[in-house]
Amino acid sequence: MEVVIADSVEQVGAVAAAKVAAVCRAATRRRGAPPVLGVATGSSPLGLYEHLAAMVSAGDLDLTDASAFALDEYVGLPREHPQSYAQVIARTVTEPLGLAPDRVHVPDGTAADPEAASREYEERIRNAGGIDVQILGIGANGHIGFNEPGSSFSSRTRIKYLTERTREDNRRFFDSLDEVPTHCLTQGLGTIMDARELVLVAQGTGKAAAVAAMVEGPVSARCPASLIQFHRFATIVIDADAASGLQDAEYHRSVFDHKPDWQRWDR
Ligand code: GLP
């Protein structure tokens, strides 16, 4: 796990995008095939997506024919609901990055048989050759995707309930708490750990406790993100506020001390 403390929220997006782009280029070189991205919703990765979109526009990153798999989806929201993750991913990822909509996959939260839909989603990921780089945020309670505390470390895509904490956190996107769905389909922790690289971004003091538990805490189902300590290629990019709960922050330092050549991560 490589932890990079960026100097600003803006720099979190820039550094994380540079890493994602580097992995995409390496994946294309290695496999001779377009990259497969894992994409997250939430506010945390928005800066990362903006920087990636700028690289695509500038011709620095080729995502033609790239495909993408979303981490999760609410159960019970129609696909056309503005807060369904199908719509959120279309607005924040598919359109800005110029991806072909038919190559962007989101679990089907409207499926009559969620278990079959989950199995089918796993199969689609496998058929695509697996995920080259999974972009992640982290919930205030340490969830990744919608794998809430207590989730099995080897879980695959499945239906899960949302904790009250998460429903409260996501209430801001809805008119009332009652409208926030109670269930979701989410890639499992095992699915996420299968991605060849992970890039997790977090900003703000609201994430400080979760980040500390993920990076320095015991690996425990109480903080699902702590499982990432076992991933071979995980990069955590955070700002000083999100890093404020770390006891050993000096190991990670500012991005310029730590990795002066981060913009050339892949060259
Ligand atoms: C959401 C998503 C996660 C996301 C997390 C944090 O509910 N399911 O994928 O990482 O919670 O969201 P935010 O980045 O808005 O704080």
Side-chain angles (χ1 to χ4, degrees):
M1 188 187 255
E2 178 167 23
V3 181
V4 179
I5 302 175
D7 292 338
S8 63
V9 169
E10 159 70 17
Q11 203 184 59
V12 169
V15 171
K19 181 67 186 177
V20 170
V23 179
C24 286
R25 293 185 192 109
T28 305
R29 275 197 303 271
R30 194 179 57 247
R31 293 197 292 113
V36 181
L37 293 156
V39 291
T41 56
S43 37
S44 307
L46 293 178
L48 187 170
Y49 295 142
E50 279 167 25
H51 281 277
L52 276 184
M55 286 181 207
V56 170
S57 305
D60 289 340
L61 176 65
D62 182 10
L63 292 181
T64 318
D65 300 332
S67 50
F69 287 87
L71 278 171
D72 44 20
E73 175 61 287
Y74 291 118
V75 164
L77 285 188
R79 259 184 121 71
E80 55 281 2
H81 189 289
Q83 293 308 327
S84 79
Y85 284 175
Q87 295 295 329
V88 172
I89 292 292
R91 283 197 301 272
T92 60
V93 178
T94 314
E95 288 157 23
L97 299 189
L99 303 179
D102 61 339
R103 278 194 286 270
V104 179
H105 309 269
V106 180
D108 182 2
T110 66
D113 184 345
E115 284 176 17
S118 300
R119 277 196 303 275
E120 189 265 342
Y121 198 65
E122 288 278 331
E123 204 175 297
R124 261 197 270 171
I125 294 174
R126 258 196 316 278
N127 291 342
I131 290 169
D132 289 308
V133 54
Q134 175 64 60
I135 294 165
L136 294 165
I138 182 170
N141 63 3
H143 74 222
I144 48 175
F146 268 138
N147 293 281
E148 299 282 28
S151 292
S152 158
F153 282 175
S154 55
S155 49
R156 313 303 304 186
T157 303
R158 68 219 184 285
I159 186 165
K160 286 287 283 180
Y161 69 91
L162 299 173
T163 61
E164 285 313 299
R165 171 87 186 263
T166 297
R167 293 185 68 237
E168 284 285 354
D169 285 350
N170 288 0
R171 175 191 189 151
R172 65 191 192 277
F173 299 113
F174 295 85
D175 290 337
S176 71
L177 184 60
D178 285 348
E179 287 180 32
V180 184
T182 55
H183 288 73
C184 63
L185 292 187
T186 181
Q187 285 188 34
L189 292 172
T191 320
I192 293 169
M193 289 294 282
D194 280 350
R196 286 181 275 277
E197 292 246 7
L198 305 179
V199 176
L200 185 147
V201 284
Q203 309 91 349
T205 50
K207 300 294 173 69
V211 165
M214 165 178 67
V215 175
E216 295 179 337
V219 174
S220 159
R222 298 190 77 178
C223 176
S226 64
L227 178 61
I228 293 176
Q229 291 178 30
F230 282 122
H231 199 283
R232 284 184 69 200
F233 300 108
T235 306
I236 314 296
V237 188
I238 52 180
D239 70 344
D241 285 342
S244 60
L246 293 174
Q247 288 178 29
D248 299 323
E250 77 270 18
Y251 295 153
H252 311 303
R253 318 268 296 279
S254 123
V255 64
F256 289 118
D257 296 337
H258 180 83
K259 198 173 268 300
D261 60 343
W262 63 265
Q263 276 160 312
R264 303 180 58 81
W265 220 319
D266 58 326
R267 319 242 162 109

